[in-house]
């Protein structure tokens, strides 16, 4: 039977953890009772360098139950890094992993559906929020802006999906090949490939404690997401340069016409033409240099070029042996 690990990144979550642990162990117990997952399934709490008693609480859980494990990071490294640490650690001990935030804003009751889909052979199950009733108008507005911006930058993200998802071992293995430091999981996971589906639920408000994602961090995250994923901004600069060069040609025609009809002050024609033309050429050149930098950037990441889903040759070897 397949083993499940629930990975929970925690940063200063002392107020939420007690309730979270009760809920999560409940779900895990139910899933084990129903025979859908192995009895050795477990929960992995990742303490992202918390300054409160989060780690003590996790250690206590550990003493009380064999289903619980902890991973303590030496300092605060941010949600995405903490989650990655958890996923990569869990990878070698479980067949599937579900990641969920410690504040349980995401509905734990859809975990069963996720596992059912995994058992049907799906590799990645995305948890997607149906409505945003509990979010403030401000959060709704900024979230919408985020997805629009991602679309504009041609980054493929699953709409209304945060980091609540199930991944199979082979999807995790493929994920581990993405060696980049600038992590934006929501952008990387869809690149992995394999079969994926979404399950939807209503997002709740935080059970306790405060959000660790103020507006400044959200803007930073969007900026990180774009700059670590897309060279679209560079392309835009190049395009703008091209448009301006084209404009300067139109301006040249107009200036020449004005010059011929004698309606201009001396020196205007040459000045205006230089400004447009030089501006355009400069922007185009910056864009061109940027394009090379963009390529270096993509090379440096050393992302895997493909993921193999079925390989008949290895299966043949199994049969022979
Ligand atoms: N988190 C973390 N490290 C950080 C910030 C947050 O591990 O530096 C965790 C946090 O404990 C929670 C999850 O990431 O489990 C999401 O954070 P939060 O709920 O504050 O974000 P929001 O839901 O408000 O976007
Ligand atoms: Mg939250």
């Amino acid at each position: 039977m397949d083993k499940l690990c629930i990975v929970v990144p925690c940063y200063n979550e002392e107020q939420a953890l007690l309730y979270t642990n009760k809920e999560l162990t409940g779900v895990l117990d139910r899933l084990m009772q129903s025979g859908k997952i192995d009895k050795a399934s477990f929960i992995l709490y990742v303490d992202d360098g918390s300054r409160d008693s989060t780690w003590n609480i996790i250690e206590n859980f550990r003493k009380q139950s064999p289903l619980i494990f902890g991973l303590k990071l030496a300092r605060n490294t941010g949600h995405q890094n903490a989650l990655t640490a958890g996923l990569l650690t869990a990878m070698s001990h479980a067949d599937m992993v579900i990641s969920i935030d410690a504040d349980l804003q995401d509905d734990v009751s859809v975990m069963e559906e996720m596992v059912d889909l995994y058992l049907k052979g799906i590799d990645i199950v995305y948890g997607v929020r149906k409505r945003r009733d509990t979010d403030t108008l401000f959060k709704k507005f900024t979230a919408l802006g985020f997805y629009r911006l991602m679309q504009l930058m041609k980054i493929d993200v699953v709409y209304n999906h945060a980091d609540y998802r199930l991944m199979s071992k082979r999807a995790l293995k493929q994920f581990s090949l993405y060696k980049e430091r600038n992590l934006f999981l929501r952008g990387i996971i869809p690149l992995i490939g394999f079969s994926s589906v979404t399950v939807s639920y209503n997002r709740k408000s935080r059970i306790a404690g405060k959000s660790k994602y103020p507006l400044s961090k959200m803007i930073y995250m969007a900026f990180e997401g774009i700059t670590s994923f897309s060279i679209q901004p560079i392309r835009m600069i190049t395009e703008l340069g091209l448009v301006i060069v084209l404009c300067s040609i139109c301006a040249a025609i107009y200036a020449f016409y004005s010059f011929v009809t004698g309606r201009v002050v001396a020196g205007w024609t040459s000045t205006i033409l230089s400004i447009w033309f030089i501006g355009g050429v400069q922007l185009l050149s910056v864009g061109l240099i940027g394009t090379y930098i963009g390529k270096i950037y993509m090379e440096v990441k050393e992302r895997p070029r493909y993921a193999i889903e079925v390989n008949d040759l290895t299966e043949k070897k199994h049969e022979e042996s």
Side-chain angles (χ1 to χ4, degrees), residues 13 101-106 129 139 203-207 210-213:
E13 296 286 5
D101 288 349
D103 57 6
L104 292 200
Q105 282 189 277
D106 307 302
R129 295 165 210 161
K139 183 104 186 175
R203 187 160 157 102
K204 297 178 240 169
S205 42
R206 227 175 196 286
I207 44 165
K210 273 202 303 253
S211 168
K212 275 91 198 167
Y213 266 103

